[in-house]
């Protein structure tokens, strides 16, 4: 069985854009009978080194993760600054934004995907690793987020 373009086809989470993370988190908690997840902000520009369409941006988002069987659901409430989250929310409204896969070799995977016509849209750092959103929307109807965690 092939592992696809990235060498991994195991989706670890689905990212969903929302306007009000507290309200939507509570709705998920009520619907699925789970504890309401705590939301937390992504890091500031100095820490996250966020770039959107090749330019640094102070964009941040409030995130809430819920373990749902084998995958997590990530709720994302973006701030007002330019980002993939903000532009996607304004263009498409609330709903699915990305599927995420854990990969190794971030830069080579970005280069590979760009060579296949999937441009890098946004990238940044998080405690313990880094992420990149690749624009696969035309083909997959969602973006693909690459996650690379630092070796322990």
């Amino acid at each position: 069985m092939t592992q696809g373009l990235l060498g991994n086809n195991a989706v670890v989470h689905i990212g969903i854009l929302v306007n009000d993370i507290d309200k939507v988190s509570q709705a998920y908690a009520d619907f699925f009978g789970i504890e309401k997840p705590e939301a937390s902000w992504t890091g500031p520009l100095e820490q996250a080194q966020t770039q959107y369409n090749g330019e640094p941006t102070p964009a941040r988002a409030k995130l809430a993760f819920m373990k749902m069987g084998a995958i997590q659901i990530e709720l994302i409430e973006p701030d007002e600054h330019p980002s993939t989250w903000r532009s996607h929310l304004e263009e498409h409204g609330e709903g699915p934004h990305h599927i995420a896969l854990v990969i190794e070799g971030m830069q080579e995977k970005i280069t590979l995907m760009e060579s296949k016509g999937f441009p890098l849209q946004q990238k940044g750092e998080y405690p313990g690793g880094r992420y990149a959103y690749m624009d696969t929307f035309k083909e997959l109807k969602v973006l693909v987020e690459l996650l690379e965690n630092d070796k322990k």
Side-chain angles (χ1 to χ4, degrees):
M1 172 118 176
T2 179
Q3 292 299 301
L5 184 62
L6 298 170
N8 176 5
N9 60 14
V11 173
V12 293
H13 76 247
I14 298 169
I16 300 173
L17 290 166
V18 301
N19 288 314
D20 183 341
I21 201 164
D22 291 322
K23 181 178 165 192
V24 178
S25 292
Q26 188 61 59
Y28 268 84
D30 293 345
F31 187 89
F32 288 104
I34 59 174
E35 193 172 318
K36 181 181 173 193
E38 289 294 317
S40 61
W41 284 97
T42 57
L45 179 58
E46 309 75 60
Q47 177 193 351
Q49 301 171 37
T50 307
Q51 289 187 19
Y52 174 57
N53 291 331
E55 299 294 323
T57 178
R60 297 178 74 185
K62 227 191 276 189
L63 309 178
F65 288 90
M66 293 162 287
K67 183 101 174 102
M68 307 293 285
I71 65 168
Q72 289 185 312
I73 291 182
E74 175 190 30
L75 301 179
I76 309 159
E77 179 187 323
D79 70 8
E80 71 281 6
H81 298 290
S83 69
T84 182
W85 310 304
R86 173 56 43 208
S87 65
H88 197 89
L89 187 59
E90 288 174 359
E91 190 176 336
H92 301 282
E94 294 180 293
H97 176 254
H98 68 267
I99 56 175
L101 299 100
V102 175
I103 54 95
E104 289 183 13
M106 180 65 80
Q107 194 51 57
E108 59 190 76
K109 294 295 195 275
I110 290 172
T111 302
L112 172 65
M113 289 197 66
E114 288 185 324
S115 77
K116 302 290 187 187
F118 305 119
L120 173 65
Q121 197 172 82
Q122 180 171 310
K123 68 178 183 173
E125 302 284 322
Y126 56 83
R130 63 216 43 80
Y131 73 89
Y133 289 111
M134 307 306 295
D135 190 353
T136 54
F137 190 80
K138 186 173 156 223
E139 292 79 3
L140 303 181
K141 311 311 174 204
V142 292
L143 301 184
V144 166
E145 181 183 27
L146 306 178
L147 299 171
E148 182 178 51
N149 297 314
D150 295 334
K151 301 269 190 269
K152 302 239 189 257

